[in-house]
Amino acid sequence: MAADSQLITKQPHKPKLAVWKFASCDGCQLSLLDCEDELLLLAQEVEIAYFMEASSAVVEGPYDISLVEGSITTPADLLRIQEVRRQSNFLVCIGACATAGGIQALRNFADVSEFTSVVYAQPAYIDTLKESTPISTHVSVDFELQGCPINKLQLLEVISAFLNRRAPQVPPHSVCIECKLKNNVCVWVAHGTPCMGPVTHAGCGALCPSYNRGCYACYGPKENPNSDSLCHWWEQKLGANKSTVIENLRNFNALAPHFKEVSEHRERGDKA
Amino acid sequence: MKEIPASGNSKTIKVDYLARVEGEGALFIRYDDDTVHDVQLKIFEPPRFFEAFLRGRDFSEAPDITARICGICPVAYQMSALHAMERALGLVPTETIRALRRLLYCGEWIESHMLHISMLHAPDFLGYPSAVAMAGDHPDIVRQALEIKKAGNALVRLIGGREVHPINVRVGGFYRLPSLASLHGLRPQLAEARKLAEQMARWAARLPFPHCEYAYEYVALSNPNEYPMNEGRIISNRGLNITAQDYEKHFREEQVPHSTALHSVLIERGAYLVGPMARYNLNFPQLSEPVRRIAGELGFKPPCNNPFKSIVLRCFEVLYAFEEALRLIDQYQAGGEPYLTAEPRASSGCAVTEAPRGLLYHRYSIDRDGKIAFAKIVAPTSQNQKTIENDLRLMLPKFMHLSEEHLQGLCERAIRNYDPCISCSTHFLQLHLQHEQRGSP
């Protein structure tokens, strides 16, 4: 952990918070502005020192806590993330782009020069890396908050934990546990709906099953998932075809180590 | 970047990283005492290639995947995507589904507009770097704005499941219909926020506006029965009147070296304007009676051709969205199937809906297994980008007497007038940084 435990108690000023954007949709940093009831309170506890989407005032680093949204996709951003790390005591990745490359990491499974020519008439103007990678590929990170998008209450919990120098309470169990806690009827068992819940990290509050929909794993893998087994059940018992199985492992968290591995097994047709 | 003749008085305005816009953009202007030589709204948001990686994905995934283009207006992407897919599959949504989609869009207009009004735009008029700083001196305005925004988010959350990237919409309808009781439960909060929205409009109308009026070609959906969201013909104040199917015959995207966002133009006519100012000027009669009355009282009857006043028009649209939401809730008939289904078939479909920032066009082709073979997306900010540059070009000569610092601030404000969403407009681009270095981190 890069956090300097001396920092919070000894420094006379409010902790400085910075929000950084890399390749992303802005939705995770927006979660901070969506804290309508807490935003002004938060601003009393921390100095919002760098947050380009919300403020044109920039306070020089270093920063006590940095929230990093987005994945690394350009040569310039490869350098910028190093500088962000140098300027940050405690670096928190927020969202699937920062923790697992995001939806734009689908390029990693394809030919990016062909992608550029599909979108742009003159691809020569476009400067991009072959792969979209999570922040942790490039620098050490102090905490990763999963989700596409993140849960704003979990974000407040992470900031609050940092301010109070304790570990964030972000349970790593599955969406299934959240369904049980909500007394949801299981969409898989009761309706035969393919659901990624058993392997997906909690945090959304089991939203999709609460709306009669199978989970599509936007929070990425839970701790120790067995996705190969899940895929087997999807195919054998629920009649899901191979492309559906791969699409559900390979969407917003396609590079999460476990999902990537299993989607590649499945693509090659390996046995679990 | 083109070279200009050497001039003793040549000056530049350079903003390396525009603040209080969604996404990453920069501004470069070169001018002298007489002429503006070059204006570039540069977009260096990294490319994300949605149109490319959508190919091969299942048609049913388009609303969820394209939502991730923008965390601020995901509902707009979902709406354009699913209407395009439904046209491809020959699905016609039921009245209940139609009404709920409109209700969901009301929620997004409210939260997206209020984000811009209070957090990105209002600080400009009152001289603060941010809404948090503004809250020190104007606590009531900021608190009220947050209350209004919260009500919009509550609406999106109830129907869509969550504020950012809602999960409840699907091609053919919704996964689950909300209960009548849950909609009625939201009514008091919406009614209360509606009152605050009216106060906000009255407050915004009194802000000091620079005198800038331009002759724009406004382009928006129009529908004789209602203020446009999901349906209507594409019209303009200069005679355009087409369906979404003909969009690509009339509009073309061009790539310019200084931007990863494609610029969209009306073929043989050039720049045009989409968003609240276009909708308002073209569809004023379809607004509710109270909104029209309040607009009249405040001296804001159309046409409104001053882009700095767009903050007031956004307030009017927020007020309208609350009235429309309350009307839709009162008329809501519970029951019926939550969604329609159709077997995939080889087909194509396109749709245009009104995102908070303006027209959002999607076109897809799918194969007989329902996999996407082709995708094209034109976001509102790509369409406004050329108009933003034109505004700066026209505005500067009038304000040359200002100090450079003030001039730069005014230019940034002129860009913020459009609530540019750069994350959207880049279908995903990266600027070649051969000329300027980024100022960050």
Coordinates of all heavy atoms in Angstrom, one line a residue, chain B residues 130-159:
Chain B
S130 N -16.4 26.1 -9.8 CA -17.2 24.8 -9.7 C -18.4 25.1 -8.9 O -18.6 26.1 -8.2 CB -16.4 23.8 -9.0 OG -16.2 24.1 -7.6
A131 N -19.4 24.1 -9.0 CA -20.6 24.2 -8.2 C -20.3 24.2 -6.7 O -21.0 24.8 -5.9 CB -21.6 23.1 -8.6
V132 N -19.3 23.4 -6.3 CA -19.0 23.3 -4.9 C -18.5 24.6 -4.4 O -18.9 25.0 -3.3 CB -17.9 22.2 -4.7 CG1 -17.4 22.2 -3.3 CG2 -18.5 20.8 -5.0
A133 N -17.7 25.3 -5.2 CA -17.3 26.7 -4.8 C -18.5 27.6 -4.7 O -18.6 28.5 -3.8 CB -16.2 27.2 -5.7
M134 N -19.3 27.5 -5.7 CA -20.5 28.3 -5.8 C -21.4 28.1 -4.6 O -22.1 29.1 -4.1 CB -21.3 28.0 -7.1 CG -22.3 29.0 -7.6 SD -22.8 28.5 -9.2 CE -24.4 27.8 -8.8
A135 N -21.5 26.9 -4.1 CA -22.3 26.6 -3.0 C -22.0 27.4 -1.7 O -22.9 27.6 -0.9 CB -22.3 25.1 -2.7
G136 N -20.8 27.9 -1.6 CA -20.4 28.7 -0.5 C -21.2 30.0 -0.4 O -21.7 30.4 0.7
D137 N -21.4 30.6 -1.6 CA -22.2 31.9 -1.6 C -23.6 31.7 -2.0 O -24.4 32.6 -1.7 CB -21.5 32.8 -2.6 CG -20.1 33.2 -2.2 OD1 -19.8 33.2 -1.0 OD2 -19.2 33.4 -3.1
H138 N -23.9 30.6 -2.7 CA -25.3 30.4 -3.2 C -25.8 29.0 -2.8 O -26.1 28.2 -3.7 CB -25.3 30.6 -4.8 CG -24.9 31.9 -5.3 ND1 -25.7 33.0 -5.4 CD2 -23.6 32.3 -5.7 CE1 -25.0 34.0 -5.9 NE2 -23.8 33.6 -6.0
P139 N -25.8 28.8 -1.5 CA -26.1 27.4 -1.1 C -27.5 26.9 -1.5 O -27.7 25.8 -1.9 CB -26.0 27.5 0.4 CG -26.2 28.9 0.8 CD -25.6 29.7 -0.4
D140 N -28.5 27.9 -1.6 CA -29.8 27.4 -1.9 C -30.0 27.0 -3.3 O -30.6 26.0 -3.6 CB -30.8 28.6 -1.6 CG -30.9 28.8 -0.1 OD1 -30.5 28.0 0.7 OD2 -31.5 29.9 0.2
I141 N -29.3 27.7 -4.2 CA -29.4 27.4 -5.6 C -28.8 26.0 -5.9 O -29.3 25.1 -6.5 CB -28.6 28.4 -6.5 CG1 -29.5 29.7 -6.6 CG2 -28.3 27.9 -7.9 CD1 -30.8 29.5 -7.3
V142 N -27.6 25.8 -5.3 CA -26.9 24.5 -5.5 C -27.7 23.3 -4.9 O -27.9 22.3 -5.5 CB -25.5 24.5 -5.0 CG1 -24.8 23.2 -5.1 CG2 -24.7 25.6 -5.7
R143 N -28.3 23.6 -3.7 CA -29.0 22.5 -3.0 C -30.3 22.2 -3.8 O -30.7 21.0 -4.0 CB -29.4 22.9 -1.6 CG -28.3 22.7 -0.7 CD -28.7 22.4 0.8 NE -27.5 22.5 1.6 CZ -27.2 23.6 2.2 NH1 -27.9 24.7 2.1 NH2 -26.0 23.7 2.8
Q144 N -31.0 23.3 -4.3 CA -32.2 23.0 -5.1 C -31.8 22.3 -6.4 O -32.6 21.3 -6.8 CB -32.8 24.3 -5.5 CG -33.6 25.0 -4.3 CD -34.2 26.3 -4.7 OE1 -34.2 26.7 -5.9 NE2 -34.6 27.1 -3.7
A145 N -30.7 22.6 -7.0 CA -30.3 22.0 -8.2 C -30.1 20.5 -7.9 O -30.5 19.6 -8.7 CB -29.1 22.6 -8.8
L146 N -29.4 20.2 -6.8 CA -29.2 18.8 -6.5 C -30.5 18.1 -6.2 O -30.6 16.9 -6.6 CB -28.2 18.7 -5.3 CG -26.8 19.2 -5.6 CD1 -26.0 19.3 -4.3 CD2 -26.1 18.2 -6.5
E147 N -31.4 18.7 -5.6 CA -32.7 18.1 -5.3 C -33.4 17.7 -6.7 O -34.0 16.7 -6.8 CB -33.7 19.0 -4.5 CG -33.5 19.0 -3.0 CD -33.5 17.6 -2.4 OE1 -34.5 16.9 -2.7 OE2 -32.6 17.2 -1.7
I148 N -33.4 18.7 -7.6 CA -34.0 18.4 -8.9 C -33.4 17.3 -9.6 O -34.0 16.4 -10.1 CB -34.0 19.7 -9.8 CG1 -34.7 20.9 -9.1 CG2 -34.6 19.5 -11.1 CD1 -34.4 22.2 -9.8
K149 N -32.0 17.3 -9.6 CA -31.3 16.3 -10.3 C -31.6 14.9 -9.6 O -31.7 13.9 -10.3 CB -29.8 16.6 -10.1 CG -28.8 15.6 -10.8 CD -27.5 16.3 -10.9 CE -26.4 15.3 -11.2 NZ -26.2 14.2 -10.2
K150 N -31.7 14.9 -8.3 CA -32.0 13.7 -7.6 C -33.3 13.1 -8.0 O -33.4 11.9 -8.1 CB -32.0 14.0 -6.1 CG -32.0 12.9 -5.2 CD -31.8 13.4 -3.7 CE -32.5 12.5 -2.7 NZ -32.4 13.2 -1.4
A151 N -34.3 14.0 -8.2 CA -35.6 13.5 -8.7 C -35.5 12.8 -10.0 O -36.1 11.8 -10.3 CB -36.6 14.6 -8.6
G152 N -34.7 13.4 -10.9 CA -34.5 12.8 -12.3 C -33.9 11.5 -12.1 O -34.3 10.5 -12.8
N153 N -32.9 11.4 -11.3 CA -32.2 10.1 -11.1 C -33.1 9.1 -10.5 O -33.0 7.9 -10.8 CB -31.0 10.3 -10.2 CG -29.7 10.7 -11.0 OD1 -29.6 10.4 -12.2 ND2 -28.8 11.4 -10.3
A154 N -34.0 9.5 -9.6 CA -34.9 8.6 -9.0 C -35.8 8.0 -10.0 O -36.2 6.8 -10.0 CB -35.8 9.3 -7.9
L155 N -36.2 8.8 -11.0 CA -37.1 8.3 -12.1 C -36.3 7.3 -12.9 O -36.9 6.2 -13.3 CB -37.5 9.5 -12.9 CG -38.6 9.4 -13.9 CD1 -39.9 8.7 -13.3 CD2 -39.0 10.7 -14.5
V156 N -35.1 7.6 -13.3 CA -34.3 6.6 -14.1 C -34.1 5.4 -13.3 O -34.2 4.2 -13.8 CB -33.0 7.3 -14.5 CG1 -32.1 6.2 -15.2 CG2 -33.2 8.5 -15.4
R157 N -33.9 5.5 -12.0 CA -33.6 4.3 -11.2 C -34.8 3.4 -11.1 O -34.7 2.2 -11.2 CB -33.1 4.8 -9.8 CG -32.3 3.7 -9.1 CD -31.6 4.2 -7.9 NE -32.4 5.1 -7.0 CZ -32.2 6.4 -6.8 NH1 -31.2 7.0 -7.3 NH2 -33.0 7.0 -6.0
L158 N -36.0 4.0 -10.9 CA -37.2 3.2 -10.8 C -37.5 2.4 -12.0 O -37.8 1.3 -12.0 CB -38.4 4.1 -10.4 CG -39.7 3.4 -10.4 CD1 -39.8 2.4 -9.2 CD2 -40.9 4.4 -10.2
I159 N -37.4 3.1 -13.2 CA -37.8 2.4 -14.4 C -36.6 1.6 -15.0 O -36.8 0.5 -15.5 CB -38.3 3.4 -15.5 CG1 -39.5 4.1 -14.9 CG2 -38.6 2.7 -16.8 CD1 -39.9 5.3 -15.6

